[in-house]
Amino acid sequence: MAALLVVMVHLTAAGYFYDIPLIRGGGQAVPLFFVLSGFVIAHAYGHRLESTEQVRAFMIRRFGRLYPLHLITLLGVVALEVVKLILTRTGDTSGQAPFTGTNSLETLVANVFLLHAIIPFGVYSWNGPSWSISTEFWTYLVFAILILLSGRFRTRAVTLAATFFGGLLVVLPLFGIHLKNMTGQGILVCLFCFFLGEITYRLFRRFKDKGFIPAGGWEWLVVPLAVIPFWFEPLPAIAGPLVFAAVIFVFAFENGPGSKGLQIPALQFLGKISYSIYMIHFLVLAVINGVLRVAEGRTGINLLGPNDMIAFGPPGTMDLLALVYVAIVIGLGWFSYTFIEAPARDFFNKVADRKIYPLG
């Protein structure tokens, strides 16, 4: 469901859905993913990664999880730029000139190497949401190296890492240094959230191993808490992740109606294809906006308002557009997961398994 909030927040259509605060704050789903990723990786690898061979196998698996779909969607946006180039020669325009600005050849090279959120270009380039994949991939590497080098002091190392990166997020603005996602803030948020997720998992294991399981009623308390970062965005950089860590901690015990509700098949399905949904939705948006710009130019009818806000038709048209858009994204997300994401993941897992590294 969190992935769908990201999908909706990027659709600038002047309808009822656009003004819902939960959707307007949908970008907060990304820090939630980062914290959850740290929690899951800690569960799967927190007590492994004891040799360079295991680190290598880990990175092969994470590469196979992230990169193939990133590359396919990147090529999709490149294809759209080629179409845009062809259209310009027929007199049609569709936004910025092809292969310039946010979609320059320079940023394309950075995207290929997953460096587009590391190098401070200052803009979201090509498949814009993939900035988070750039930061997450390099965060995996930092995590693996830290775990390898810290030996039996892993918990201390993870705690220090979270404190350090969280501290930077708090201190830098106090000194007048206001970063943005594409100028350093993104990688700092990812590192902080990921290691916070690591700490959350270690606390969860410690409590569970000692037989402490919070009453199911706690889930009712933390669900409204989870809505706060979305509803009241923007909050201080570390506030949202701390809230998400608390929610994940409580739900990890699976001892309440909320966690049981997450087992609903429809939610399980959306969770399974969430990465594909996240990566594919920008392509759908690019097509929608491109078609509308060309249609606007050819017909003279205003379809896009200020700030490229989509606005046309009688009341309810934009909400219908939003529903159709979400349905298309979910359908393409399923296709992407079935025929791209899952096969690529399985292939790279086999590559790692063929090594003699005992990662299971």
Side-chain angles (χ1 to χ4, degrees):
M1 289 298 291
L4 291 182
L5 291 178
V6 178
V7 169
M8 289 295 290
V9 74
H10 288 152
L11 177 67
T12 54
Y16 170 77
F17 288 114
Y18 184 81
D19 291 323
I20 297 176
L22 189 64
I23 291 177
R24 297 272 36 87
Q28 284 296 310
V30 176
L32 171 59
F33 291 147
F34 289 154
V35 178
L36 185 59
S37 178
F39 187 94
V40 172
I41 293 298
H43 170 70
Y45 295 99
H47 296 289
R48 306 181 188 182
L49 303 177
E50 296 177 342
S51 67
T52 55
E53 291 81 4
Q54 289 184 335
V55 168
R56 188 181 308 166
F58 168 75
M59 290 306 298
I60 289 172
R61 290 171 181 272
R62 303 327 298 165
F63 179 87
R65 176 73 177 88
L66 297 180
Y67 192 79
L69 186 54
H70 164 67
L71 180 61
I72 293 296
T73 53
L74 176 61
L75 292 174
V77 182
V78 171
L80 291 178
E81 286 295 288
V82 173
V83 171
K84 187 188 295 185
L85 181 62
I86 295 172
L87 287 173
T88 58
R89 295 181 178 179
T90 63
D92 292 303
T93 59
S94 180
Q96 69 180 12
F99 296 102
T100 62
T102 59
N103 291 354
S104 67
L105 294 178
E106 182 182 26
T107 56
L108 177 59
V109 173
N111 271 264
V112 170
F113 292 99
L114 284 174
L115 292 170
H116 48 298
I118 307 302
I119 299 173
F121 289 110
V123 294
Y124 296 101
S125 58
W126 297 91
N127 186 7
S130 70
W131 73 267
S132 64
I133 309 307
S134 169
T135 61
E136 190 164 3
F137 179 78
W138 297 108
T139 294
Y140 287 149
L141 183 59
V142 172
F143 157 75
I145 293 174
L146 181 67
I147 293 297
L148 176 65
L149 296 179
S150 59
R152 61 190 182 90
F153 300 105
R154 293 180 173 188
T155 299
R156 293 182 185 178
V158 167
T159 303
L160 286 174
T163 303
F164 175 72
F165 294 118
L168 286 177
L169 290 171
V170 172
V171 171
L172 288 178
L174 298 180
F175 286 89
I177 303 174
H178 299 282
L179 302 175
K180 296 184 178 180
N181 277 343
M182 303 305 290
T183 57
Q185 177 92 347
I187 183 62
L188 286 180
V189 168
C190 185
L191 286 162
F192 168 64
C193 290
F194 187 89
F195 284 109
L196 180 61
E198 290 276 328
I199 295 171
T200 304
Y201 176 77
R202 293 171 187 274
L203 286 173
F204 161 72
R205 286 305 324 173
R206 181 168 297 183
F207 276 80
K208 191 171 184 179
D209 290 344
K210 292 184 177 181
F212 171 80
I213 299 179
W218 277 93
E219 290 186 358
W220 291 110
L221 294 177
V222 298
V223 166
L225 190 66
V227 175
I228 290 175
F230 294 92
W231 204 276
F232 297 101
E233 190 203 18
L235 294 174
I238 68 169
L242 289 172
V243 168
F244 297 142
V247 174
I248 291 170
F249 174 81
V250 172
F251 270 73
F253 290 94
E254 298 181 317
N255 191 42
S259 54
K260 291 180 173 61
L262 293 177
Q263 304 303 315
I264 295 172
L267 295 182
Q268 290 286 301
F269 169 73
L270 289 175
K272 182 173 70 172
I273 67 171
S274 60
Y275 178 52
S276 280
I277 285 176
Y278 179 77
M279 292 298 287
I280 211 79
H281 82 275
F282 187 81
L283 273 172
V284 177
L285 277 177
V287 171
I288 292 173
N289 283 283
V291 168
L292 289 176
R293 287 192 183 98
V294 171
E296 192 176 54
R298 290 190 176 186
T299 65
I301 300 174
N302 291 327
L303 302 174
L304 298 168
N307 300 317
D308 289 335
M309 176 74 73
I310 304 172
F312 62 87
T317 302
M318 293 300 94
D319 296 316
L320 178 60
L321 173 65
L323 293 175
V324 172
Y325 159 66
V326 170
I328 291 172
V329 169
I330 291 174
L332 290 176
W334 168 83
F335 182 89
S336 169
Y337 175 83
T338 303
F339 297 104
I340 302 173
E341 180 187 343
R345 178 200 61 204
D346 294 344
F347 170 79
F348 280 95
N349 284 348
K350 290 178 181 177
V351 170
D353 288 341
R354 283 200 295 267
K355 309 296 182 181
I356 60 171
Y357 319 137
L359 276 177

